[in-house]
């Protein structure tokens, strides 16, 4: 077990790179080194250095003899001490050097074989150190791999999630890259243009999108400055779409390269249809309101300019103004009612309602009007119980509208009958109002319950807003879950019916 | 006819009533019609000096009435004023082929109506170039 004395070199001895620093570098990236910690006990100097020390002590002990021998013994012991010191110093230096070599060489485990040959204690130290360092390296590598794989998995998951979200949208999303190729399309887009969005092959957008206008829009947007946003309307056969196109930048660069276009398509068909219906409605309403308003204005002006010379005429004019004001108020009420029911805002009180009572009340109210036209108004109420869960006032309004219509559109001397029966098989109570009036042409029957619809042929015999039946339909069907119906024959008469579920 | 006759056509009884009252008070003779067809027949039979008609009427609309009268030689020169309750006004294309001289929006002022009637009656007495 002899230590090889290495040649001393200034470069090695004064090497500034502390071995400890190298160890520190490799430990920062990893957590605690794998495996148990083995405490390392450093041994200062080789064991044989103790021998001269022991000899020196022995010699000192032998000094208890004569003077010449004593001086000789002192010199010998001094020499022994010196020798011990020298040996110690040499041992330490060598050890330090070997440790340095060890640590410097331990950076790459591949150089294992070409490391310095060492003494026992240093060998143990070396083995421990090597194990630690190997574990550290493995740990670092694993962390790097885990990190990469985790990062990759996270990115892949995020991509899947993003795609799933985009596929859930109602709108179609299309992305076209700066080369005009289709980079991405969500599911709705695929459905709309008839291709599978999963197809990873990036083909020219012009190839994949059959709509020329859209392709043109995409191209134009690509040529527009970055961050610009455009809107267009796209008609694809019947449905129309609102398209928003954005020229987005890939990154913080902005030289016109690396941009891409995102197009979002939204189905505007329903909106357009709804707004058409709305504007028709508004047009109708304003027309209906202008009519009584015209009377009001005209008569007021006549009164103001003194053209109603006598009391009689003045009274007449005031009467007309009053009546027309009521007419407008009624119209506005009807419209609001219908509107509220349709939007579900109306307050409905549901209670068991006896329809027979409702029918009798309405007949009583309408009798005077019928008599004025010599119309026979009768009721036919079945004795079986017919209670329905309904809003009493609304029920009355429905029956009243039907009977009022019947009387209005029946010429003098005719008849109107209100029938209340139970439809056992369907568990429904049915109110039928039959008249011997003008009847309704077959082509008009499907439109009877539409807003503002009036049968042209019958518009002479009576005025109407065309909202009465629509109100009935809304109350019966929307609010109460029942059903309205009509049967008719021109010049013979009509039957309007209301069916409601029994309680 | 000694005095000038004006034909008033409107399906609203109150309007018919107030317009005739105004014109009668101003010294004109007034004929009234409840719908387009009745107005046409009265116009053919009586050759009024001027027609005041509503736009929307049963049987025949005001525009249709004026179109037919214009296309027939004996009634082609009768000037007409049309009252409309429509949200938008009639444009030149709608008035083509009729002798409608003025469009009045509802609600209208009877005073203004009278002044227009007088204006166009005076103008009508001058020769009018056919469209």
């Amino acid at each position: 077990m002899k230590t090889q004395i290495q040649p001393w070199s200034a470069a090695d001895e004064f090497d500034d790179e502390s071995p400890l620093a190298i160890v520190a570098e490799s430990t920062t990236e990893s957590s605690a080194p794998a495996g148990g910690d083995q405490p390392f006990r450093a041994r200062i100097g080789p064991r044989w250095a103790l021998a001269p020390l022991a000899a020196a002590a022995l010699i000192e002990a032998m000094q208890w003899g004569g003077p010449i021998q004593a001086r000789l013994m002192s010199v010998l012991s001094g020499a022994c001490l010196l020798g011990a010191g020298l040996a110690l110093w040499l041992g330490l230096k060598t050890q330090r050097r070997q440790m340095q070599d060890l640590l410097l060489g331990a950076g790459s485990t591949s150089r294992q074989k070409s490391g310095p040959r060492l003494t026992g204690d240093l060998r143990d130290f070396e083995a421990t150190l090597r194990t630690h360092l190997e574990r550290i390296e493995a740990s670092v590598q694993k962390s790097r791999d885990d990190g990469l794989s985790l990062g990759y998995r996270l990115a892949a998951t995020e991509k899947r999630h993003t795609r799933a979200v985009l596929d859930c949208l109602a709108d179609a999303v299309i992305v076209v890259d700066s080369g005009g190729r289709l980079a991405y399309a969500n599911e709705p887009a695929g459905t709309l243009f008839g291709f599978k969005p999963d197809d990873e092959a990036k083909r020219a957008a012009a190839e994949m999108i059959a709509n020329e206008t859209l392709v043109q829009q995409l191209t134009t947007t690509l040529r527009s400055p970055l961050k610009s946003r455009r809107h267009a309307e796209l008609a694809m056969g019947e449905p129309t779409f609102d398209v928003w196109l954005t020229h987005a930048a890939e990154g913080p660069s902005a030289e016109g390269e690396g941009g891409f276009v995102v197009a979002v398509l939204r189905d505007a068909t329903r909106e357009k249809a709804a707004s058409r219906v709305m504007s028709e409605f508004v047009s109708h309403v304003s027309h209906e309101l202008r009519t009584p308003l015209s009377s009001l204005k005209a008569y007021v002006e006549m009164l103001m300019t003194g053209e109603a010379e006598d009391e009689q005429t003045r009274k007449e004019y005031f009467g007309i103004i009053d009546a027309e004001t009521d007419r407008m108020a009624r119209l506005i009420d009807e419209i609001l009612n219908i509107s509220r029911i349709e939007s579900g805002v109306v307050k409905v009180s549901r209670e068991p309602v006896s329809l027979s009572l409702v029918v009798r009340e309405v007949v009583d109210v309408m009798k005077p009007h019928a008599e004025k036209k010599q119309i026979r108004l009768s009721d036919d109420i079945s004795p079986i119980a017919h209670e329905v869960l309904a809003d009493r006032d609304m029920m009355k309004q429905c029956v009243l509208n039907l009977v009022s219509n019947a009387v209005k559109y029946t010429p003098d001397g005719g008849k109107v009958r209100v029938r209340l029966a139970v439809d056992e098989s369907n568990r429904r109570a049915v109110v039928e109002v039959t008249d011997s009036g003008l009847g309704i042409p077959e082509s008009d029957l499907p439109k009877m319950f539409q807003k503002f619809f009036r049968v042209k042929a019958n518009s002479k015999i009576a005025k109407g807003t065309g909202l009465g039946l629509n109100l009935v339909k809304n109350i019966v069907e929307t609010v109460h879950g029942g059903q309205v119906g009509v049967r008719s024959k021109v010049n013979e008469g009509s039957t309007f019916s209301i069916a409601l579920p029994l309680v | 006819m000694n005095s000038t006759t004006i034909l008033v056509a409107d399906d609203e009884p109150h309007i018919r009533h107030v317009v005739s009252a105004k014109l009668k008070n101003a010294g004109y003779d007034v004929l009234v019609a409840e719908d387009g067809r009745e107005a046409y027949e009265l116009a053919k039979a009586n050759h009024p000096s001027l027609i005041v008609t509503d736009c929307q009427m049963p049987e025949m609309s005001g525009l249709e009435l004026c179109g037919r009268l214009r296309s027939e030689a004996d009634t082609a020169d009768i000037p007409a004023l049309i009252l409309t309750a429509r949200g938008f006004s009639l444009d030149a294309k709608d008035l083509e082929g009729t002798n409608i001289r003025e469009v009045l929006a509802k609600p209208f002022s009877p005073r203004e109506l009278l002044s227009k009637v007088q204006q166009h009656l005076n103008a009508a007495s001058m020769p009018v170039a056919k469209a």
Side-chain angles (χ1 to χ4, degrees), chain B residues 6-119:
Chain B
I6 302 179
L7 171 62
V8 175
D10 199 309
D11 56 340
E12 280 286 323
H14 296 316
I15 302 291
R16 279 198 307 270
H17 190 61
V18 74
V19 172
S20 358
K22 186 74 176 178
L23 294 173
K24 277 187 194 153
N25 287 352
Y28 298 106
D29 279 339
V30 178
L31 293 168
V32 287
E34 285 182 14
D35 61 62
R37 199 187 11 214
E38 194 184 341
Y40 175 77
E41 279 157 15
L42 284 174
K44 294 293 279 183
N46 297 281
H47 294 99
S49 314
L50 187 129
I51 298 172
V52 176
T53 178
D54 185 21
C55 206
Q56 265 164 286
M57 284 186 294
E59 306 291 341
M60 197 192 299
S61 76
L63 284 174
E64 205 190 319
L65 167 71
C66 294
R68 284 181 67 170
L69 292 176
R70 178 70 167 166
S71 67
E72 286 161 32
D74 57 337
T75 51
D77 285 337
I78 306 175
L81 299 184
I82 193 159
L83 302 165
T84 176
R86 297 221 279 202
F88 49 94
S89 43
L90 302 165
D91 56 23
K93 225 179 74 158
D94 298 314
L95 305 181
E96 244 173 67
T98 70
N99 206 3
I100 295 170
R101 302 299 175 87
E102 190 112 17
V103 176
L104 284 167
K106 281 182 175 178
F108 62 92
S109 147
R111 198 186 320 130
E112 202 189 314
L113 175 66
L114 179 63
S115 107
K116 296 286 180 188
V117 164
Q118 285 165 337
Q119 185 190 320

Side-chain angles (χ1 to χ4, degrees), chain A residues 277-295:
Chain A
V277 168
M278 182 61 164
S279 74
E280 267 176 41
F281 177 73
V282 170
S283 175
H284 268 124
V285 169
S286 72
H287 179 274
E288 291 296 320
L289 287 175
R290 262 185 237 259
T291 309
L293 207 56
S294 312
S295 300

